[in-house]
């Protein structure tokens, strides 16, 4: 009945546009964007306390000892190196997969998980030996909540990587299909980048 | 998470319900929720014991962790995580697992379902339940405020009432309701089979349940009294109610974020071929924009509530000024999200309004690109205005003026939108259906709210009116007059699509007017109260405000009545409303090109989008072509699918009915008509003749129609015809009340009940003009005669001819008056002949042959001249009784006068008068 110049076709039209990015990866990038904003909010609280109230007298003085609060910069620097290094190893794992080397990928994942777990253990150890608690002024609160939120993200990243390791053993990934792995690794890079920022802003400056 | 290319080719998408019964999941919920709660208690006890924290029992800490885990327990129990857990444990999983997809019974709505349509419906129903609770809280507030002094609640409880009211309406009603409506229609609008991540979508919905329950339960374990904004330091002094709210809102927040990511990925990767961004309906634009706001804004409210929670429960010092914290910091962080949240609560509504206004104005949206870009502009600017909520908070002074300027600038894109909408309805052909009423109401009330927003954006006015009822009036004009109106518009608009039933239009209009009047009468006086200085968030007030407050409280009851009416209309229509056609509003976007409700994967194959979505009134314009599999017959031109049932017997061959069908057919090119002629105990041949005549007429107009004579009563015949194909509506033609046998037997009402579809009744007056049948396919016979008329022989002859092909007859009774026409003899003769002609017409109509006639004073040749000149017949039949010489002798003269028209002479035996057949 219609007289429009539209060809009457019985077959479905072929989708001619293949998206440049997989759905999973796009979702992960958006989620990371969301996480960035979460840290932005926590950093905002930190900046308010440090620059607006304490006027950059930082770390503030501990009323109990009369000395400024102290942070273990050296140990954390080493720990930072572990985490940064793990970003390279997870990249390497992906890289091995792209060359069809499944065992290399599994090895890379193992090393990454080990490094991440090391970071987390050192961090918990640091908590146990710090001279101040979350209840010690805004300084303690922001420090613990920032590093704690990050630690939680490291834990989530480790969980994701562990699942990827399990799936890698099952032989899920191939050079043509590795979206879950690349998404998990993107998340891991994000966790890493946040830590570098956090280390610079909270520990060093 | 699926990462395959979006275009699922039509690979056997057969959904099968999971074999486990509904009770399995809810039993799991029943034990897992308390188990997780207990686990939370144990974990906290363990950690506190190990680290030697003192005291070991700190109720708030235990509750916080335990309620958080209980929420996860619920989600695990209902089965949201089953697939992912299997994946994580290395088990074999199917990325395209459809076992939880679609609904075949009500039970599918009470378990995890991955069908975006089911999820959309779940959202709408659940959030509407939350809306009812929110409304109850509002009415409790109005009850307390009906007169000055303290009546029902104390100050603490009053604070809890308005806080809970706001939290429910914002986090549990407006935001998720928009998510739900978009969940239903957005994938269809862009031509997708589902959302990008159906399992994540299900998780988003189910997160609302524990979140909602926690927020609803919070007043019972200690009111939180700091308002929905939870300003420190007051919020930090709250109790367990605050904890429940703060954990609950995290669930709601995560739900929003996941839905937003889902929408963005769906819109980015799953649009049908040809669906470029500039062909997307504005609802899709609106939701893409909102989703971006949610993804980048909501983490701020999450963080603010976490820090607030830690301050209260753990004793941290984020907002404690005595310990180096910054009180104002809370407000900055909170409003950095919560101002964009205003747009999260408004922009999807803008999308709905754009759809509704265009459809019901029958006009392309005015300034489509301007509307789309204004939406984006509002979202971008929305991140730069948060501090206008804090002009009086004691924040840095230098922030005031920049924030005032950015705030007022937002009026520009908003103004673009309002003027574009006005441009859309300008000179449109407005159809005032309920969604349109709400859309027009929205334009009115939202503009008021927007203008008071410009007032409040300026520093001096804010300082003067802060914390007064002027603010209350403003936000309600924006959120009720804005968001809630658009939600009602959206629900009415898509109700036929979602349920497959039509709602009751008259009740809908009543509901609108009650709500509109009730709303304005409630909220408008608050402007005045505010300017007079009545403070908000206080349970008591000055005597001088008593009358106005009483009026407000009474007026608010109108909204309650209206909401009850809405619930009745929705529930009743859902159960027993008439079946909805595919496209009751004649919309253009893709959701209207699929059935109501859509099939399990919306489209059998990918639709092809070929034009913009709002090209109303543009000749030949199309938005999309929807294909069907080859078995069904290639392109799904809607003509094959959308049938109107026509039921009529004697009334079938009438001008009114044919005109009604023509009008209907002119509405959209895809209506087709099935004509059911019930002929139990009636002349079936006559029925068949009528049917053939009407079909011939309709065929000539290019109207697709077919029909059948049934040996059944009217209701039975209609039901039978409706059972043979899906019908989208029905037309039944009857005589007027006085002469209709059908109406005496209540046929129309019974038919309406039985068909459950939109039924139009046409009243036909008998013996009317038959111009309608002036068609090539219908042979036009002029019968000229006098004594030979109304004889059995002539009737038999005409019936024989009618059986060969559609026929209509004009009877010209030649009186043969000689001499003056005013004499008594002439009058008697005329009457006698007229009676005979009338009898003939009656017999012909009964025989199913459309007929009209007139009396010619002169003789047969004169009648032939009249016939040739005014009737342009195909055949002149001269009927003479045997031995009727006046006619017989005139046949030659008739031939002469008839010109090119063929003339036949038919002689009847006049002895036996004809009797109508079948009687």
């Amino acid at each position: 009945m219609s007289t429009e110049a539209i060809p009457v076709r019985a077959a479905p039209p072929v989708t001619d546009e293949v998206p440049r990015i997989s759905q999973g990866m796009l979702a992960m990038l958006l989620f990371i964007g969301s996480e960035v904003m979460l840290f932005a909010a926590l950093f905002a609280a930190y900046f308010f306390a440090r620059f607006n109230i304490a006027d950059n007298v930082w770390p503030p003085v501990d009323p109990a000892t009369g000395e400024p609060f102290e942070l273990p910069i050296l140990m954390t620097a080493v720990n930072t190196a572990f985490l940064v290094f793990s970003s390279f190893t997870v990249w390497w794992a992906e890289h091995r997969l792209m060359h069809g080397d499944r065992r290399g990928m599994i090895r890379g994942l193992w090393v990454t998980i080990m490094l991440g777990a090391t970071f987390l253990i050192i961090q918990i150890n640091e908590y146990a030996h710090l001279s101040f608690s979350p209840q010690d002024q805004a300084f303690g609160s922001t420090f613990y909540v920032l590093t704690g939120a990050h630690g939680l993200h490291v834990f989530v990243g480790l969980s994701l990587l562990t699942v990827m390791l399990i799936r890698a053993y099952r032989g899920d990934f191939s050079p043509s299909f590795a979206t879950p792995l690349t998404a998990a690794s993107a998340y891991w890079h994000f966790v890493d980048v946040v830590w570098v920022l956090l280390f610079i802003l909270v520990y060093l400056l | 998470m699926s990462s395959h290319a979006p275009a699922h080719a039509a690979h056997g998408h057969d959904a099968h319900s999971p074999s486990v019964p509904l009770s399995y999941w809810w039993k799991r919920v029943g034990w897992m929720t308390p188990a997780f709660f207990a686990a939370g208690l144990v974990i906290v006890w363990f950690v506190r014991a190990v680290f030697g924290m003192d005291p070991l029992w700190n109720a708030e800490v235990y509750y916080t962790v335990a309620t958080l885990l209980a929420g996860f327990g619920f989600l695990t129990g209902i089965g949201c995580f089953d697939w992912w857990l299997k994946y994580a444990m290395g088990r074999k999983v199917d990325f395209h697992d459809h076992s939880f997809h679609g609904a075949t019974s009500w039970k599918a709505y009470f378990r995890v379902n991955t069908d975006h349509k089911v999820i959309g419906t779940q959202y709408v129903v659940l959030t509407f339940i939350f809306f009812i609770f929110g409304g109850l809280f509002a009415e409790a507030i109005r009850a307390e405020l009906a007169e000055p002094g303290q009546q029902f609640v104390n100050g603490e409880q009053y604070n809890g009432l308005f806080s809970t009211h706001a939290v429910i309406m914002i986090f549990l009603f407006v935001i998720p309701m928009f998510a739900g409506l978009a969940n239903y229609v957005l994938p269809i609008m862009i031509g997708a089979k589902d959302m990008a991540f159906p399992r994540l979508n299900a998780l988003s919905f189910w997160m609302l349940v524990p979140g909602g329950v926690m927020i609803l339960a919070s007043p019972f374990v200690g009111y939180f009294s700091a308002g929905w904004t939870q300003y420190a330091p007051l919020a930090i002094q709250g109790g367990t109610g605050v904890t429940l709210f703060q954990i609950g809102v995290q669930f709601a927040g995560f739900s929003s974020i996941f839905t937003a990511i889902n929408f963005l990925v769906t819109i980015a990767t799953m649009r049908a071929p040809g669906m470029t961004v500039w062909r997307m309906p504005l609802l899709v634009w609106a939701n893409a924009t909102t989703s971006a706001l949610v993804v980048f804004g909501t983490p701020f409210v999450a963080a603010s509530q976490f820090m607030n929670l830690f301050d209260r429960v753990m004793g941290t010092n984020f907002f404690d000024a005595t310990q180096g914290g910054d009180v104002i910091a809370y407000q900055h962080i909170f409003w950095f999200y919560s101002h964009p949240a205003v747009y999260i609560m408004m922009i999807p509504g803008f999308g709905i309004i754009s759809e509704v206004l265009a459809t019901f104005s029958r006009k392309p949206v005015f300034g489509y690109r301007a509307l789309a870009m204004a939406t984006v502009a509002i979202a971008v600017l929305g991140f730069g205005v948060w501090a206008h909520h804090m002009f009086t908070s004691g924040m840095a002074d230098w922030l005031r003026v920049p924030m005032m300027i950015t705030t007022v600038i937002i009026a520009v894109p908003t103004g673009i939108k309002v003027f574009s909408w006005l441009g859309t309805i300008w000179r449109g052909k407005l159809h005032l259906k309920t969604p349109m009423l709400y859309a027009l109401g929205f334009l009115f009330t939202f503009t008021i709210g927007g203008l008071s927003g410009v007032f409040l954006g300026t520093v001096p006015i804010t300082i003067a009116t802060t914390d007064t009822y002027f603010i209350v009036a403003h936000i309600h004009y924006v959120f009720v007059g804005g968001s809630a109106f658009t939600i009602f518009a959206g629900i009415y608009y898509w109700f036929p699509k979602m349920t497959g039933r039509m709602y009751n239009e008259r009740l809908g209009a009543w509901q609108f007017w009650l709500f509109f009047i009730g709303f304005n009468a409630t909220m408008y006086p608050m402007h005045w109260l505010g300017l007079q200085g009545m403070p908000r968030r206080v349970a008591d007030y000055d005597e001088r405000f008593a009358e106005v407050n009483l009026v407000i409280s009474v007026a608010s009851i109108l909204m309650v009545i209206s909401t009850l009416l809405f619930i009745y209309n929705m529930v009743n229509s859902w159960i027993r409303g008439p079946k909805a056609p595919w496209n009751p509003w004649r919309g253009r976007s893709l959701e209207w090109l699929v059935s109501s409700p859509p099939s399990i994967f919306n489209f059998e194959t990918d639709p092809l989008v070929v034009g913009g979505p709002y090209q109303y009134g543009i000749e030949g314009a199309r938005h999309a072509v929807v294909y069907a599999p080859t078995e069904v017959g290639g392109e799904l031109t809607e003509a094959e699918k959308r049938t109107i049932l026509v039921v009529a017997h004697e009334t079938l061959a009438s001008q009114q009915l044919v005109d009604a069908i023509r009008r209907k057919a002119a509405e959209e090119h895809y209506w087709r008509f099935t004509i059911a002629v019930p002929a139990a105990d009636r002349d079936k041949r006559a029925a068949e003749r009528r049917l053939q005549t009407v079909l011939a007429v309709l065929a000539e107009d290019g109207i697709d129609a077919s029909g059948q004579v049934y040996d059944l009563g009217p209701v039975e015949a209609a039901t039978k015809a409706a059972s043979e194909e899906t019908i989208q509506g029905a037309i039944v033609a009857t005589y007027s009340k006085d002469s209709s046998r059908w109406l005496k037997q209540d046929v129309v009402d019974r038919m309406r009940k039985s068909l459950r579809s939109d039924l139009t009744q046409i009243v036909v007056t008998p013996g009317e003009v038959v111009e309608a049948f002036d068609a090539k396919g219908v042979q036009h016979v002029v019968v000229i005669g006098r004594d030979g008329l109304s004889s059995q022989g002539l009737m038999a002859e005409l019936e024989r001819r009618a059986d060969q092909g559609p026929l209509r007859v004009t009877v010209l009774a030649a009186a043969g008056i000689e001499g003056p026409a005013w004499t008594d003899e002439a009058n008697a003769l005329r009457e006698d002949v007229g009676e005979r002609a009338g009898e003939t017409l009656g017999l012909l109509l009964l025989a199913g042959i459309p007929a009209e006639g007139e009396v010619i004073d002169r003789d047969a040749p004169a009648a032939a001249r009249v016939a040739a000149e005014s009737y342009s017949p195909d055949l002149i039949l001269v009927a003479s009784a045997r031995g009727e010489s006046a006619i017989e002798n005139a046949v030659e003269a008739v031939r002469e006068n008839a010109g090119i028209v063929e003339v036949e002479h038919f002689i009847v035996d006049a002895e036996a008068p004809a009797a109508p057949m079948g009687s």
Side-chain angles (χ1 to χ4, degrees), chain A residues 1-54 58 63 124 127-128 133-146 159-160 162-164 166-167 170 172-173 177-181 183, chain B residues 1-7 51 84 86-93 95 196-197 254 257-258 260-261 264-266 268-271 273 294-297 299-300 302-304 306-307 310-311 314-321 323-329 332-333 336 383 605-608 610 620-622 625 627-630 633-635 637 639 669-671 702-704:
Chain A
M1 185 172 291
S2 67
T3 52
E4 287 90 329
I6 294 154
V8 174
R9 292 162 60 185
V14 181
T15 317
D16 44 13
E17 274 180 59
V18 177
R20 263 166 256 129
I21 186 168
S22 69
Q23 293 180 317
M25 195 62 197
L26 182 58
M28 182 50 91
L29 290 181
L30 288 167
F31 185 66
I32 288 173
S34 197
E35 296 273 44
V36 166
M37 295 306 279
L38 178 72
F39 278 99
L42 296 176
F43 272 116
Y46 171 72
F47 291 141
F48 271 109
R50 175 165 176 177
F51 295 105
N52 205 29
I53 302 298
W58 205 259
I124 290 169
Y127 278 9
S133 73
Q135 288 80 22
D136 279 325
Q137 303 206 5
F139 169 78
S141 309
T142 52
F143 174 83
Y144 274 98
V145 170
L146 272 172
S159 311
L160 288 179
T162 310
V163 171
M164 291 311 124
I166 292 169
R167 299 310 295 188
R170 272 193 57 94
D172 268 19
F173 306 128
F177 174 74
T179 306
L181 180 66
Chain B
M1 278 179 246
S2 154
S3 64
H4 285 277
F51 286 90
W84 288 312
K86 266 192 211 162
Y87 181 80
M89 289 188 299
R91 304 248 299 273
K92 192 174 177 326
V93 288
F95 276 103
F197 305 109
F254 268 100
I257 292 177
F258 289 151
I261 292 177
L264 284 173
V265 176
T266 307
T269 63
M270 293 177 71
R271 280 172 287 129
V294 170
V295 168
F296 297 108
F300 261 74
S304 73
F306 272 128
M307 289 189 279
F310 293 153
D311 266 15
M314 269 167 59
T316 58
N317 305 305
F318 284 101
F319 310 125
D320 185 348
Q323 295 292 320
D326 189 346
V327 182
I328 304 293
H332 278 295
I333 296 170
F336 189 77
F383 271 115
T605 58
D606 286 350
L608 179 66
V610 294
R622 276 183 99 166
V625 186
Y627 294 93
T630 349
E635 183 191 347
T637 55
H669 65 277
Y670 51 68
W671 291 123
I703 296 169
D704 184 1

Side-chain angles (χ1 to χ4, degrees), chain B residues 12-18 97-104 114-115 600-601:
Chain B
H13 273 300
D14 50 345
H16 46 93
S17 292
D97 182 2
H98 297 306
S99 55
F100 286 88
H101 199 96
T104 46
T114 52
D115 184 351
I600 182 156
F601 288 102

Side-chain angles (χ1 to χ4, degrees), chain B residues 49-135:
Chain B
V50 166
F51 286 90
M53 288 184 200
D54 193 49
L56 197 56
W57 173 253
N58 179 332
E60 284 307 308
V61 180
Y62 281 88
Y63 288 154
T64 304
V65 178
T67 45
L68 187 67
L69 281 184
F72 280 102
F74 174 85
L75 294 172
T76 316
I78 199 76
C80 284
F81 300 124
D82 281 16
W83 191 93
W84 288 312
L85 286 176
K86 266 192 211 162
Y87 181 80
M89 289 188 299
R91 304 248 299 273
K92 192 174 177 326
V93 288
D94 177 10
F95 276 103
H96 298 284
D97 182 2
H98 297 306
S99 55
F100 286 88
H101 199 96
T104 46
S105 80
W106 61 272
K107 288 180 181 170
Y109 289 85
F110 290 87
R111 60 164 167 79
V112 170
N113 203 312
T114 52
D115 184 351
H116 74 98
K117 298 185 288 298
V118 176
I119 295 173
T121 311
Q122 286 174 325
Y123 259 112
V124 171
V125 172
L126 179 72
T127 50
F128 198 82
I129 292 169
F130 290 144
F131 171 72
I132 295 167
F133 279 104

Side-chain angles (χ1 to χ4, degrees), chain A residues 42-189:
Chain A
L42 296 176
F43 272 116
Y46 171 72
F47 291 141
F48 271 109
R50 175 165 176 177
F51 295 105
N52 205 29
I53 302 298
D55 211 10
N56 207 14
V57 180
W58 205 259
V61 174
D62 183 351
T65 60
E67 297 283 311
F69 292 109
E70 241 183 294
L71 288 171
I73 292 177
L74 190 65
M75 190 61 225
T76 313
V78 174
N79 210 8
T80 307
F82 284 143
L83 199 60
V84 173
F85 188 57
S86 76
S87 235
F88 286 98
T89 57
V90 78
W91 170 81
W92 184 73
E94 270 186 85
H95 184 73
R96 290 319 307 162
L97 176 68
M98 290 308 142
H99 285 79
D101 176 7
R102 227 163 53 79
R103 293 179 60 81
M105 164 189 65
I106 289 173
R107 240 176 261 142
L109 282 176
W110 267 116
V111 176
T112 311
I113 291 170
M114 287 307 181
L115 285 167
T118 311
F119 172 87
L120 213 53
I121 290 164
I122 293 178
Q123 196 64 26
I124 290 169
N125 181 55
E126 182 183 312
Y127 278 9
H129 292 93
L130 278 177
S131 61
F132 58 92
S133 73
Q135 288 80 22
D136 279 325
Q137 303 206 5
F139 169 78
S141 309
T142 52
F143 174 83
Y144 274 98
V145 170
L146 272 172
T147 53
H150 178 264
L152 193 68
H153 282 77
V154 173
F155 178 75
V156 171
L158 277 178
S159 311
L160 288 179
L161 288 177
T162 310
V163 171
M164 291 311 124
L165 186 62
I166 292 169
R167 299 310 295 188
Y169 273 115
R170 272 193 57 94
D172 268 19
F173 306 128
S174 65
S176 59
F177 174 74
T179 306
L181 180 66
T182 43
S185 119
Y187 190 80
W188 190 251
H189 293 315

